[in-house]
Amino acid sequence: MVDTTFGHHALVLGGGGSVGIAWEVGVLAGLARAGVDTTDAAVIVGSSAGSVTGTQLRLGHSIDSLVEDQRKPTGDSGSGPPLPTDLSGLLEVLQVTRDAEERTPELFQEVGRRAMAADTGPESAWIGRFEHLGHAWPDGDLRLTAVDCATGRRRIWTAADGVSLCAAVASSCAIPGVFPPISLDGSHFIDGGLWSSSNLDVALESDVDRAIFIGPLRAGDPGASRALASERELLATAGVRAASIVPGEAFATEIGAANLMNPRFRERGLMLGIEDGTAAAEAVRALLD
């Protein structure tokens, strides 16, 4: 059932590193400045970067406060020392996926094994970066994606699971080979963006008839774009109308996948997000009206 305290659409926020958080916040700001409010969604789904943004929205953070947060020196919406910008550990872990014809649970089980073997430091320190979000889940339907290292399947965390909110966010953001897998509910979990950068199909598990996807799609990765198109087809078949906001070419050329964790690009990501959100405002308004 849709919670009538909120709107009647799903807001789905994809993965994209700390710069992706800045871009997503920018998109939301661009929409809001054009008079389009997407944040009262009946369902908010977050994957990796989107799990941070989505959780902050459900906790009641204003768009203006999120914009200001991205302009602070830390800007990764966490606490502790600066995040690593070197993604070579991720590339090593993901070697197994390069020649794979299909992404299967068995493939992600192997990714999970490699993630578990990687030297990424204690999971308590990673969870600690998100403790400012709290342990209790907010009101409203919030769904955070992760991948189970043992089964290789997607896990969708909700308040009903009884796990700590900050640990669920940490698991959704646990880039394999860079950050440690998070132990929850008898298993270990890694980045929800591995399963899909978008995870738009999670919206099918609710009664919404409209969905909005916002995410940088790994800075233009063709596979991520194909997955989003496939998920949109699933929604269309179920009678759910959808709109998607992805970066323009400037994001891929000026920032690119290699810099998604580089704090020097947060401000530019934020500004490009504002531009992309403003450009998409009329299409989103038409969907919501």
Side-chain angles (χ1 to χ4, degrees):
M1 294 286 295
V2 171
D3 187 342
T4 55
T5 305
F6 299 95
H8 297 275
H9 64 278
L11 176 61
V12 182
L13 299 161
S18 56
V19 178
I21 295 174
W23 179 84
E24 290 176 352
V25 167
V27 170
L28 293 167
L31 290 169
R33 293 173 187 180
V36 180
D37 181 16
T38 60
T39 64
D40 65 340
V43 182
I44 294 181
V45 180
S47 299
S48 198
S51 74
V52 176
T53 310
T55 295
Q56 290 176 315
L57 292 176
R58 269 297 187 246
L59 288 170
H61 294 207
S62 70
I63 300 298
D64 287 343
S65 71
L66 296 183
V67 169
E68 288 305 309
D69 184 58
Q70 287 306 312
R71 288 178 167 147
K72 293 177 182 177
T74 54
D76 57 24
S77 299
S79 57
L83 292 173
T85 60
D86 181 8
L87 298 182
S88 58
L90 169 66
L91 298 179
E92 290 178 11
V93 169
L94 292 185
Q95 281 181 341
V96 66
T97 68
R98 290 177 182 171
D99 298 323
E101 295 183 3
E102 183 181 2
R103 298 204 164 193
T104 63
E106 291 75 21
L107 185 70
F108 288 122
Q109 284 177 313
E110 178 59 27
V111 172
R113 283 190 286 269
R114 295 186 180 207
M116 293 287 292
D119 183 12
T120 53
E123 65 176 279
S124 59
W126 181 235
I127 294 173
R129 297 196 71 98
F130 303 96
E131 284 190 339
H132 67 287
L133 298 173
H135 296 273
W137 286 67
D139 292 336
D141 192 337
L142 175 65
R143 308 180 188 193
L144 308 177
T145 70
V147 174
D148 189 328
C149 291
T151 67
R153 296 186 180 277
R154 180 174 65 188
R155 177 68 183 259
I156 303 169
W157 300 114
T158 71
D161 291 304
V163 302
S164 166
L165 174 65
C166 57
V169 174
S171 74
S172 188
C173 295
I175 301 172
V178 180
F179 304 119
I182 301 301
S183 53
L184 287 170
D185 199 26
S187 191
H188 289 81
F189 296 86
I190 51 178
D191 196 324
L194 288 172
W195 183 270
S196 165
S197 289
S198 42
N199 286 299
L200 180 60
D201 58 318
V202 175
L204 289 172
E205 301 177 19
S206 63
D207 289 339
V208 298
D209 58 5
R210 288 160 289 180
I212 302 159
F213 170 72
I214 299 172
L217 287 191
R218 295 180 189 155
D221 176 13
S225 298
R226 287 193 296 270
L228 175 60
S230 177
E231 291 162 7
R232 288 195 60 164
E233 289 179 10
L234 289 174
L235 265 66
T237 299
V240 179
R241 294 185 295 139
S244 56
I245 305 175
V246 298
E249 291 185 8
F251 190 96
T253 56
E254 296 183 32
I255 298 174
N259 290 306
L260 290 176
M261 296 296 294
N262 192 328
R264 294 194 301 109
F265 290 88
R266 283 201 327 271
E267 178 66 25
R268 186 57 180 151
L270 178 68
M271 297 310 297
L272 288 172
I274 291 173
E275 293 175 9
D276 291 333
T278 302
E282 288 310 309
V284 175
R285 192 193 315 276
L287 178 75
L288 295 180
D289 286 347

